Amino acid sequence: MNKFFSVNDITDLNILVKEAIALKKTPLQNQHLGKGKTIGLVFLNSSLRTRLSTQKAAQNLGLHTIILNANQEAWTWEFEDGAIMNGNTVEHVKDAANVLSQYCDIIGIRCFAGLTNKEEDVSEKVYSLFEKYAKVPVVSLESATLHPFQSLADCITIAEHLPVNKKPKVVLSWAPHIKPIPHAVGNSFAQWMQETDYDFVITHPEGYELDPQFTNGVTIEYNQEKALENADFVYVKNWSSFKNYGKLIPVEEDWLLTNEKLKASNNAKIMHCLPVRRNVEISDEVLDSENALVYQQANNRTYAAQIVLQKILENHE
């Protein structure tokens, strides 16, 4: 493995999940792999779980960690090739990526969608330019369209709670929010679920379809109650409109997940990537129930990052 941007960068999801679960028993067994090496974690956007879990994963592997909150602690970056930099930008991304490559053996970068320029976000302009100019392996800590570490952690969490003798039904359910939210978690989860043999359904109001390049072939159900029938896992997440890019479309129905709605499920386990707007996206009664897996998902972020970083280090021994 030389990079990590999406599910397309791994060879076998089932094997990777099993290896990540095994890591949890002896997380410090491969510290020799990172000895004398450095990972740089570059954040253009805020983070809690991604930052801390990736840092812990790196430490478990013996890596030294450098964290750069680029929007607050670095020169303002320019992303246009051929730009005449006589404005507010001070350093071109090609220079920043080249310099960081001299200090780091692996670079992770986090860059959200702007939700204003659809073409720019879908093309992964920021991430792809950084990856283009870096001279070392680059891993995505979330990009404009995808969040691969989160999706791998989600796959690990589901694997640890699979129903016995039954192919699980997994439902990705849209949820309300107070502001427009990017599509990365929803896109990514849909992409990774298609690498499994699970019964996978996405439910959302009409007008909130995700990017079809990640949902092509997936069952879409506009009736949330129908989608929840016999569900074993319900992953709740908000996203803004993709067609009317970055917009909030008014929704008349109540999409807040409650225990009453979950009665139709198969005593479903509840998932959310966090942070979560309590009693807006999911009710307290659901989040605080025994069936909620949100903290297990957060914990598995460490092992998702660790198994990927381990594969990269092994490939560069």
Side-chain angles (χ1 to χ4, degrees), residues 53-120:
S53 63
T54 309
Q55 186 174 9
K56 182 176 179 180
Q59 291 172 345
N60 286 349
L61 289 165
L63 283 161
H64 178 66
T65 307
I66 297 174
I67 294 178
L68 176 65
N69 295 307
N71 279 352
Q72 293 84 37
E73 301 170 349
W75 300 114
T76 306
W77 287 353
E78 173 63 59
F79 293 98
E80 295 294 335
D81 280 333
I84 299 173
M85 292 174 55
N86 58 359
N88 294 327
T89 56
V90 178
E91 184 161 27
H92 200 283
V93 65
K94 68 171 66 177
D95 302 319
N98 267 283
V99 170
L100 282 164
S101 298
Q102 297 180 67
Y103 304 149
C104 306
D105 300 279
I106 302 173
I107 299 173
I109 182 167
R110 181 178 179 93
C111 48
F112 288 173
L115 292 182
T116 55
N117 187 323
K118 183 177 183 178
E119 182 180 349
E120 186 173 291

Side-chain angles (χ1 to χ4, degrees), residues 267-286:
N267 195 31
K269 303 293 186 182
I270 309 304
M271 304 176 68
H272 191 287
C273 62
L274 300 181
V276 61
R277 298 264 182 166
R278 284 176 172 262
N279 302 308
V280 175
E281 297 178 79
I282 313 178
S283 62
D284 277 339
E285 63 179 4
V286 174

Side-chain angles (χ1 to χ4, degrees), residues 152-223:
L152 178 52
D154 298 335
C155 290
I156 295 167
T157 306
I158 291 173
E160 291 178 317
H161 295 86
L162 287 173
V164 179
N165 299 322
K166 178 184 183 295
K167 183 168 75 170
K169 179 180 179 181
V170 181
V171 177
L172 173 62
S173 179
W174 180 89
H177 208 284
I178 65 170
K179 64 180 182 179
I181 297 295
H183 310 89
V185 172
N187 286 342
S188 195
F189 188 68
Q191 184 189 52
W192 285 68
M193 282 295 101
Q194 291 183 80
E195 293 296 314
T196 72
D197 62 353
Y198 304 158
D199 180 9
F200 179 54
V201 177
I202 302 176
T203 184
H204 54 71
E206 293 191 49
Y208 277 98
E209 292 77 10
L210 288 163
D211 187 338
Q213 71 170 308
F214 302 114
T215 62
N216 185 35
V218 174
T219 299
I220 308 296
E221 175 55 65
Y222 297 115
N223 185 318

